[in-house]
């Protein structure tokens, strides 16, 4: 699910608009969701916006040890887990507890990250293009790893929502989509509602 009419993720209004979209999606999926964020700042903003607006237990990275959060998420079907950084990899939640995966932004490294900048500079010194040869492939791999949190076995099914409009508006968006497992791509909340058999909620 790649929603239409999302603002640019670098704009001031993106996090608030993304939070609204996440609330809508959580109502459609009836919880059972992992929300992977691009930063701790976004994580806190989504937490503040979502808690109290959905009738599900909202678990947040940093409020309990990682393994305890994952165990609660596995056993409390219907809960929601908000996370960033290390949760993009190595998280195994088979079955119904994880039926919706939300990724707020394409996982490009943050500007100003010293390690990222050093690697980009090294690529440039060797005659390469820092974006094409390093930043883009790294972000594509990270997105694949995040996407893989949803489907861990043949019996798993669900919806991946990527809220970043650059999948549609930038030429490199096609490269990101091509790097993901093949699946139907939809842009209307009604399609998500239909998948979850929750047609009433989308019109509420």
């Amino acid at each position: 699910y790649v929603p239409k009419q999302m603002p640019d993720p670098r704009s001031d209004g993106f996090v608030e608009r993304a939070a609204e979209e996440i609330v809508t999606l959580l109502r459609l999926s009836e919880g059972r969701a992992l929300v992977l964020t691009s930063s701790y700042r976004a994580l806190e903003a989504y937490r503040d916006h979502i808690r109290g607006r959905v009738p599900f237990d909202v678990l947040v990275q940093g409020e309990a040890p990682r393994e305890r959060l994952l165990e609660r998420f596995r056993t409390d079907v219907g809960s929601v887990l908000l996370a960033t950084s290390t949760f993009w990899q190595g998280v195994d939640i088979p079955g119904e507890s994880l039926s919706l995966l939300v990724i707020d932004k394409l996982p490009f490294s943050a500007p100003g990250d010293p390690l990222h900048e050093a690697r980009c500079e090294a690529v440039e010194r060797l005659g390469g293009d820092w974006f094409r040869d390093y930043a883009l492939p790294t972000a594509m791999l990270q997105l694949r790893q995040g996407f893989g949190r949803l489907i861990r076995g043949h019996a798993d099914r669900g919806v991946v929502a990527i809220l970043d409009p650059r999948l549609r508006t930038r030429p490199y968006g096609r490269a990101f989509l091509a790097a993901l497992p093949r699946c139907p791509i939809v842009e209307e909340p009604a399609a998500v509602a239909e998948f979850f058999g929750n047609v009433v909620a989308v019109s509420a």
Side-chain angles (χ1 to χ4, degrees):
Y1 169 63
V2 183
K4 294 190 295 185
Q5 300 176 336
M6 290 293 293
D8 187 286
R10 294 161 296 184
S11 68
D12 291 338
F14 176 80
V15 169
E16 183 175 332
R17 177 68 185 84
E20 292 289 342
E21 190 73 31
I22 292 168
V23 168
T24 297
L25 290 167
L26 295 179
R27 290 171 177 164
L28 296 179
S29 67
E30 298 179 337
R32 304 180 293 163
L34 171 63
V35 179
L36 291 176
T37 75
S38 53
S39 66
Y40 285 97
R41 182 171 166 234
L43 181 74
E44 293 170 359
Y46 297 148
R47 174 200 64 200
D48 295 344
H49 193 90
I50 292 168
R51 273 192 173 149
R53 298 189 60 197
V54 294
F56 317 113
D57 192 12
V58 178
L59 312 172
V60 181
Q61 179 180 350
E63 295 186 351
R66 172 188 165 103
E67 290 308 315
R68 188 182 304 168
L69 284 173
L70 290 172
E71 183 58 31
R72 285 183 61 189
F73 185 55
R74 289 187 189 101
T75 57
D76 181 9
V77 176
S79 63
V80 177
L81 174 57
L82 308 181
T84 189
S85 63
T86 58
F87 281 75
W88 282 74
Q89 306 173 38
V91 172
D92 189 11
I93 312 288
E96 187 182 359
S97 291
L98 177 47
S99 298
L100 169 68
L101 171 67
V102 182
I103 295 173
D104 67 340
K105 296 181 184 180
L106 297 177
F108 289 110
S109 295
D113 177 87
L115 182 59
H116 175 74
E117 290 191 351
R119 288 175 173 166
C120 290
E121 289 168 3
V123 169
E124 293 277 327
R125 282 196 301 271
L126 294 172
D129 179 280
W130 69 269
F131 182 78
R132 182 194 65 223
D133 299 330
Y134 177 69
L136 183 59
T138 301
M140 287 167 60
L141 176 60
Q142 177 87 334
L143 185 66
R144 278 184 63 88
Q145 290 172 330
F147 194 99
R149 297 316 95 210
L150 179 69
I151 304 299
R152 307 301 297 160
H154 293 295
D156 289 335
R157 62 192 296 274
V159 171
V160 176
I162 304 176
L163 308 184
D164 193 325
R166 291 176 293 183
L167 278 177
R168 295 182 180 281
T169 61
R170 297 300 177 94
Y172 58 71
R174 291 190 295 273
F176 275 102
L177 291 173
L180 298 176
R182 293 185 63 185
C183 57
I185 300 175
V186 300
E187 59 185 25
E188 297 293 344
V192 179
E194 183 178 2
F195 179 90
F196 287 119
N198 199 348
V199 179
V200 175
V202 77
S203 60

